[in-house]
Amino acid sequence: VAAISNRLEAAYPAENRGRVARLVGLQEMLVEDVRPALLILLAAVGFILLIGCANIANLLLARGASRVKEVALRAALGASRWRLMRQFITESVLISLAGGVLGALLALWGVDLLMSLNPGELPGGQSPRLDARVLLFTLGVSLLTGVVFGLMPALHLSKPDLNESLKEGRTTGTGGARGRLRSIFIVSEVALSLVLLVGAGLLVNSFYRLLNTSPGFAPEKLLTLEYRLPRNKYPELAQQWDFHRRMVERVREVPGVEAASVIRAIPFSGNGSSATFVLPDRPAPAPGGEPRALTNTAAPGYFETMRLPLSTGRTFDERDKADSPTVFIVNQMFAKQHWPGEDPIGKRIEVPADKMSGVVVGVVGDAKQFQLNEVQQPQIYYAYAQAPFIFASLVARTKVEPMSLADDVRAAVWSIDKDQPVWKVRTMETLLTTNVASPRFVMTLMTGFAALALLLTALGLYGVMAYVVSQRTHEIGIRMALGAQRGDVLRLVLRQGMVLALIGVGLGLAAALAATRAMQSLLFGVTANDPLTFAAVSLVLTLVALLACYVPARRATKVDPMVALRYE
């Protein structure tokens, strides 16, 4: 295909210069809109899994520290290191498999919960479901995490120092390899949690901006529907326009309807078209570089019904008939791009593909056509009477709840032609809600994942610090007996926990700066390295870490030196 494109460009340079053909696989085309979001969610789930596994590994290390004598006895009685490792790995795998089974059972309910969040349309009408592949994947992940995260504690605990471990009254310390490994796990948890929190914060910020983006018109109390005239019943253009005109007149007579009109493609319905155009008062562009604009066809009263503001000139009215000079209305973006600082009224536009040529009679405000987060495009509106079409969409502004008039509006259409089908009877607010369903779904899941990560990290940090305090009770008793105040002990324990947390925050910020670049396509109105989001998330995580460390530190200040120093 590339070779053919090159030959066509060489053979017909006037028409094909700069024109290329591009092949896209069907699978890639189907999933291109949802793949980034699904990959982001998959990465988030992976982070949650890693944080959970780090917690389990820390718990196994802490539990193993209390079993030093048991392990030493087993080794003294002849248990090999491999035998001890198998025991620890078996325990870890059993925990992971139990978690995997419980997770699969919860997922049976969770799938329904996911769908209730309205994820929007998925490619090919797919919907999440539990099947053999999902269950096998869950089983495989459970086994893998059980082995990997059970192996590290097993390696450290399966080689005890028999002389030291079997001494009477021996108290296990918090330093050494086990202490370093626990610290690594905590730092990793904090860093991963920060990445998730930053991602969720960016999505929340983006979604807030998206919801506060104006579509360009007033969507409240707008009822919409679509219909297509049978061409064999309405073969003439005049017949098609006559049906549209009469139908609008009947709908306007429905009690509760304030205004009504027709448009070929309703905003946010998924319908719309574009075409290249020529401006006779501007230099001709190079072949292949012709400007392009969205095109639509509107009837009189459409802009008033939508409350799409008129900037200058006039809107379509009864003067714009089939035998009248062709007229166009453009949006502000079109006027700014092509006639900056000039009066666009009276300027001529030619649209060769649609065989339209006329003058601009009005400029209206910019309105989004497909997505709220789309870059505003230039737009040209044709008059329906001058460019009739069998497909049309009705918009009706009502004084009451729009769907309460759905039956009456249908009846108005059928009063013109009882056999005319209508479909997609929806409110404009429903169309807007559907339009933001996918970003809302991703934001909701990411926020939930981030909250879970924050909770797991806080629990992990609390657990480690509580264990450290329990292991340092003897030391703390000595310090207090030598005159250390409660504030000194509090700062001592807090310092140990917060140093780990702050190292994790620093590493997490660096990782988030790199990871969030992949989210840029999901964001609107905010950059992937938004400093406010990074600062707010870092502060929240630091405060949560401080709280998680404070509780064990507070407990350490209540140690009774007499009890702590008592000979075991």
Side-chain angles (χ1 to χ4, degrees):
V1 169
I4 292 173
S5 297
N6 292 335
R7 288 200 296 267
L8 287 173
E9 182 177 11
Y12 306 98
E15 296 84 2
N16 288 311
R17 181 172 300 156
R19 294 184 184 274
V20 296
R22 184 170 65 94
L23 286 182
V24 179
L26 179 61
Q27 175 73 9
E28 180 183 350
M29 186 188 74
L30 286 175
V31 303
E32 64 180 351
D33 292 333
V34 299
R35 177 187 279 125
L38 293 181
L39 291 177
I40 292 294
L41 293 178
L42 180 62
V45 172
F47 283 4
I48 292 290
L49 181 63
L50 290 174
I51 292 172
C53 288
N55 268 350
I56 293 296
N58 262 331
L59 290 174
L60 290 175
L61 281 172
R63 183 168 178 262
S66 65
R67 297 173 63 187
V68 168
K69 290 183 181 180
E70 173 201 338
V71 174
L73 282 172
R74 290 178 182 271
L77 293 173
S80 66
R81 188 181 186 190
W82 172 236
R83 176 65 183 84
L84 294 173
M85 287 182 61
R86 279 187 301 171
Q87 178 181 338
F88 287 117
I89 292 175
T90 300
E91 293 174 359
S92 173
V93 168
L94 286 175
I95 293 173
S96 296
L97 285 177
V101 170
L102 180 60
L105 293 175
L106 288 174
L108 291 171
W109 165 77
V111 169
D112 294 333
L113 177 63
L114 277 179
M115 298 311 294
S116 70
L117 295 176
N118 186 18
E121 294 185 7
L122 295 175
Q126 297 293 320
S127 61
R129 66 185 185 276
L130 288 182
D131 54 21
R133 292 176 301 169
V134 175
L135 294 177
L136 286 174
F137 176 78
T138 304
L139 175 64
V141 170
S142 300
L143 284 172
L144 180 63
T145 54
V147 171
V148 171
F149 285 87
L151 184 62
M152 286 182 280
L155 288 172
H156 285 275
L157 298 173
S158 61
K159 194 177 181 181
D161 185 334
L162 299 184
N163 290 328
E164 291 295 321
S165 301
L166 293 176
K167 285 182 180 178
E168 184 67 28
R170 172 67 179 172
T171 303
T172 56
T174 60
R178 283 196 294 273
R180 288 192 295 272
L181 192 57
R182 280 195 299 269
S183 298
I184 290 173
F185 283 143
I186 285 297
V187 169
S188 301
E189 283 187 64
V190 173
L192 291 172
S193 181
L194 183 73
V195 174
L196 279 181
L197 286 168
V198 168
L202 290 173
L203 288 174
V204 170
N205 193 352
S206 173
F207 190 69
Y208 174 78
R209 294 171 185 266
L210 185 63
L211 290 182
N212 285 276
T213 298
S214 172
F217 53 85
E220 302 80 17
K221 292 189 175 180
L222 273 180
L223 182 68
T224 73
L225 61 82
E226 299 176 14
Y227 63 92
R228 184 187 297 272
L229 300 176
R231 197 178 292 276
N232 60 349
K233 192 172 184 178
Y234 299 91
E236 302 296 331
L237 297 180
Q239 292 175 308
Q240 297 167 15
W241 166 238
D242 184 61
F243 179 93
H244 302 322
R245 179 185 58 78
R246 292 169 60 200
M247 186 269 295
V248 169
E249 290 175 355
R250 293 291 177 87
V251 171
R252 288 173 178 169
E253 295 172 359
V254 173
V257 172
E258 182 179 328
S261 186
V262 290
I263 184 78
R264 191 178 65 196
I266 305 174
F268 303 106
S269 65
N271 299 319
S273 59
S274 64
T276 59
F277 59 90
V278 176
L279 302 178
D281 65 333
R282 291 290 183 268
E290 297 88 350
R292 178 174 289 270
L294 295 175
T295 58
N296 215 335
T297 309
Y302 170 76
F303 301 105
E304 292 78 5
T305 301
M306 298 292 285
R307 295 180 182 171
L308 191 57
L310 177 67
S311 298
T312 185
R314 67 174 178 88
T315 57
F316 297 131
D317 54 32
E318 300 305 324
R319 290 174 286 178
D320 306 316
K321 301 178 181 179
D323 55 356
S324 302
T326 302
V327 295
F328 299 127
I329 291 175
V330 298
N331 67 348
Q332 291 177 336
M333 178 62 69
F334 190 103
K336 289 178 182 177
Q337 281 189 2
H338 302 289
W339 300 299
E342 300 181 38
D343 184 4
I345 304 302
K347 299 288 188 180
R348 178 164 291 276
I349 301 175
E350 298 174 2
V351 188
D354 294 335
K355 300 179 180 179
M356 300 288 290
S357 178
V359 297
V360 175
V361 295
V363 179
V364 295
D366 296 327
K368 302 296 179 70
Q369 182 66 29
F370 299 105
Q371 301 286 335
L372 266 176
N373 58 357
E374 70 187 14
V375 176
Q376 185 62 57
Q377 301 181 61
Q379 191 162 14
I380 304 172
Y381 295 92
Y382 309 151
Y384 233 119
Q386 297 177 344
F389 195 64
I390 59 173
F391 180 80
S393 306
L394 171 74
V395 289
R397 185 167 295 279
T398 65
K399 302 175 183 177
V400 296
E401 201 283 317
M403 289 305 294
S404 66
L405 299 181
D407 290 339
D408 294 335
V409 170
R410 285 192 190 95
V413 176
W414 293 331
S415 68
I416 305 298
D417 184 345
K418 62 182 179 62
D419 298 321
Q420 175 59 47
V422 297
W423 61 86
K424 294 185 178 179
V425 182
R426 302 168 291 187
T427 66
M428 182 57 69
E429 289 179 315
T430 298
L431 288 172
L432 283 172
T433 300
T434 303
N435 189 261
V436 298
S438 181
R440 178 190 286 114
F441 178 72
V442 176
M443 180 209 68
T444 303
L445 283 186
M446 277 293 290
T447 303
F449 291 154
L452 181 58
L454 186 62
L455 176 62
L456 289 175
T457 301
L459 289 175
L461 191 55
Y462 168 81
V464 167
M465 295 311 300
Y467 171 76
V468 168
V469 168
S470 69
Q471 295 298 302
R472 298 181 67 177
T473 300
H474 192 75
E475 173 199 341
I476 292 172
I478 294 176
R479 288 178 180 271
M480 296 186 73
L482 294 176
Q485 301 299 311
R486 290 190 173 186
D488 299 324
V489 174
L490 184 68
R491 286 191 294 272
L492 174 70
V493 179
L494 280 178
R495 186 185 305 116
Q496 183 174 359
M498 290 307 297
V499 165
L500 297 177
L502 292 176
I503 292 174
V505 168
L507 293 176
L509 285 174
L513 283 171
T516 52
R517 293 177 184 175
M519 297 178 57
Q520 189 59 61
S521 63
L522 302 179
L523 302 179
F524 173 74
V526 59
T527 61
N529 56 355
D530 179 54
L532 182 61
T533 301
F534 276 70
V537 166
S538 300
L539 178 62
V540 168
L541 185 56
T542 302
L543 291 176
V544 169
L546 181 62
L547 180 62
C549 294
Y550 176 79
V551 177
R554 177 80 174 175
R555 187 180 303 157
T557 64
K558 298 180 180 180
V559 169
D560 186 343
M562 296 301 295
V563 176
L565 296 175
R566 184 176 298 157
Y567 180 77
E568 298 179 4

